[in-house]
Amino acid sequence: MESTNSAILTSTDGLETAPTKFIEAGGTNFAYRTIGVANGVPLVLLQHFTGTMDYWDPAVVNELARHRSVIVFDNAGVGASSGQVPDNVEQMAVDAVAFIGALGLRQVDLLGYSLGGMVAQVVAAKHPALVRKVILANTAHQGGGNDLMKVLQAAMSQKQYPDPRMVLFFNDSQDGIDAGQAFLKRVYARQENRDPEGGPDVANAQAKAIIVFSTTQDPENTLLKAITQPVLIVTGSNDTMLPTDSSYAMFRILKNAQLVMYPDSNHGAIFQYHDRFVQDVEAFLSR
Amino acid sequence: MESTNSAILTSTDGLETAPTKFIEAGGTNFAYRTIGVANGVPLVLLQHFTGTMDYWDPAVVNELARHRSVIVFDNAGVGASSGQVPDNVEQMAVDAVAFIGALGLRQVDLLGYSLGGMVAQVVAAKHPALVRKVILANTAHQGGGNDLMKVLQAAMSQKQYPDPRMVLFFNDSQDGIDAGQAFLKRVYARQENRDPEGGPDVANAQAKAIIVFSTTQDPENTLLKAITQPVLIVTGSNDTMLPTDSSYAMFRILKNAQLVMYPDSNHGAIFQYHDRFVQDVEAFLSR
């Protein structure tokens, strides 16, 4: 089943220059950008804690957009979108589905990164007809635990790197540092119409959502067992924010999952290994 | 560093028809076959419990041989090779290195499957200059545990499938059964000059080697920490013989490993998902 609206999904721009567009759904004015061309099932990206559309890596987004339309957006209350950031993953999923519906898309693939991966789990479980395949990147399952506060505190209190993502996303090894610096260059490549940064209200509501989701026990794994779509799980060898163990646990619980883990990498594994990640996602989406 | 002996490494045959050749090393007459063309670093395959060269899957071997020379062989005392099967992994590693040396190869990649993966760990740790990259498929680390005897007993006592590999290698799901039947067709495709099957002496010595290796605790992970080469670890979601957990543990311990796990699959995961496996190995060896 393909999109009903191919005009909306075709763009000649990369992520660095794609114009920000807006669409209204359920009282929220959602900001979004499309990269790539309408071709089969579009891929919708679900973003991490405090991240806007400008936090995605062009090396991932533009390469994935070679064969499909990739849609990035600010969920309710984030970046250039209107509305309030909800303090729970379930409402973020409701908002994401409203946005997808407003675009007229009948079937999508989801790539959820970190907090976005939690939202992707809920959307996939609740909307089996809407979601064809799911990529869960550097994320955790219900009850999978998190070290968000500890890791954030350490990243904010260090003075070595002005951008905390150097510490949050990459290992303190030469490969990690090199990858982090290359990543930051890529995400700052966009010069015009960057999204507004979020304030403490965004961070507080999203932090609560992550902490509640990843510490709420789901002993019967009700959520993961409700996901019937094929899932690709990807993470780093040493994710200090959302534990690598949680990705392994998800793989063991999900009915139809493939697991990929990269060496010497942290919460930003998919950006550090953007070439491998794009290759792995391509293989997963095309088979 | 490439092979010094490209004539020996080039073959126009697939695994099903490649002639069996022999080379002497350390008093053992080793049987081997080469598939593919001399091109860069050759890939040497290390075989599983009681397996001969005919137990490899042509869908894996022939596809991997599109871009390189793939070498399969019977280790000492197995199949068409002379000599005694040692009852320990360390001596199997010594024998494999003697075989590789006799071919005049100065650098190789290793693909070790099951017992062969244990042998590959020892060869890689002891011979950093000889081994460039290592693929550890459906295998376990020292102390990783095994259910060999329990699983063998169940496979031998069932009457449904004449070939126990249907039970040992594949899940009892429709996908697993279909994959198993397709696999058996492929491995029986060779009509002429099949290897002799091994007797109880092969099985007994190899079983002892597997059990001792996978139940000998290595609390400091001395063996894995001595492996400095890039490693690709691949296994199934539910390996009932050598536990999936052991592959995850190896990934966490090794310095430079990538992990891939396939859905709904058992000890024969790399044969069930031969297309994905070849793609993953290609990406790993070529980057």
Side-chain angles (χ1 to χ4, degrees), chain B residues 14-284:
Chain B
L15 179 64
E16 304 91 328
T17 53
T20 300
K21 300 179 275 190
F22 290 89
I23 197 159
E24 197 276 338
T28 299
N29 205 23
F30 285 95
Y32 72 103
R33 300 178 193 144
T34 55
I35 300 95
V37 290
N39 176 29
V41 180
L43 177 65
V44 176
L45 272 50
L46 297 161
Q47 186 57 294
H48 68 77
F49 176 68
T50 71
T52 68
M53 295 187 281
D54 294 323
Y55 284 60
W56 287 112
D57 185 345
V60 168
V61 172
N62 296 345
E63 289 303 311
L64 287 175
R66 282 182 181 274
H67 304 298
R68 63 181 57 77
S69 182
V70 178
I71 301 165
V72 299
F73 76 108
D74 292 327
N75 212 339
V78 175
S81 289
S82 72
Q84 281 286 111
V85 178
D87 68 355
N88 62 88
V89 170
E90 289 69 23
Q91 184 60 41
M92 292 174 187
V94 169
D95 295 341
V97 170
F99 164 70
I100 292 167
L103 288 181
L105 304 177
R106 295 195 190 162
Q107 192 177 44
V108 295
D109 295 327
L110 295 178
L111 191 175
Y113 170 65
S114 193
L115 170 60
M118 300 171 183
V119 177
Q121 291 171 56
V122 175
V123 175
K126 293 201 174 166
H127 302 275
L130 177 65
V131 180
R132 186 185 68 125
K133 294 186 178 187
V134 186
I135 300 126
L136 300 179
N138 290 91
T139 191
H141 64 308
Q142 275 204 331
N146 74 82
D147 285 311
L148 182 65
M149 284 305 155
K150 192 180 81 181
V151 171
L152 276 181
Q153 173 107 23
M156 298 305 181
S157 60
Q158 58 83 32
K159 309 264 181 249
Q160 194 172 2
Y161 301 107
D163 193 308
R165 285 176 287 183
M166 280 298 290
V167 180
L168 293 171
F169 284 9
F170 301 95
N171 279 348
D172 188 26
S173 63
Q174 196 55 54
D175 282 355
I177 293 164
D178 292 349
Q181 285 166 341
F183 167 76
L184 290 181
K185 262 190 204 158
R186 297 194 300 269
V187 295
Y188 285 121
R190 187 183 182 93
Q191 301 293 323
E192 295 184 11
N193 288 315
R194 288 184 70 89
D195 269 357
E197 295 294 321
D201 51 330
V202 174
N204 290 339
Q206 290 186 338
K208 184 177 170 195
I210 292 171
I211 291 167
V212 168
F213 184 90
S214 60
T215 59
T216 299
Q217 294 305 313
D218 179 12
E220 301 296 323
N221 298 302
T222 318
L223 180 59
L224 290 177
K225 287 185 176 163
I227 297 174
T228 54
Q229 299 95 333
V231 177
L232 173 67
I233 300 170
V234 184
T235 194
S237 60
N238 181 38
D239 191 321
T240 53
M241 193 158 359
L242 299 177
T244 301
D245 280 348
S246 176
S247 286
Y248 181 57
M250 285 196 285
F251 169 73
R252 297 304 297 263
I253 298 161
L254 282 163
K255 284 189 191 76
N256 184 5
Q258 174 158 348
L259 178 68
V260 174
M261 295 191 180
Y262 301 128
D264 187 18
S265 50
N266 197 331
H267 197 60
I270 66 169
F271 310 129
Q272 180 165 343
Y273 292 99
H274 54 88
D275 285 343
R276 297 190 201 185
F277 179 63
V278 167
Q279 199 172 28
D280 288 329
V281 171
E282 276 298 339
F284 171 69

Side-chain angles (χ1 to χ4, degrees), chain A residues 95 161 174 234 260:
Chain A
D95 295 340
Y161 301 107
Q174 196 55 54
V234 183
V260 174

Side-chain angles (χ1 to χ4, degrees), chain A residues 150-186:
Chain A
K150 192 180 81 182
V151 171
L152 276 181
Q153 171 106 22
M156 297 307 179
S157 59
Q158 58 83 34
K159 309 262 180 251
Q160 193 172 4
Y161 301 107
D163 193 309
R165 284 177 287 184
M166 280 298 291
V167 181
L168 293 171
F169 284 9
F170 300 95
N171 280 347
D172 188 24
S173 63
Q174 196 55 54
D175 282 355
I177 293 164
D178 292 349
Q181 285 166 343
F183 167 76
L184 289 181
K185 262 190 204 158
R186 297 194 299 270

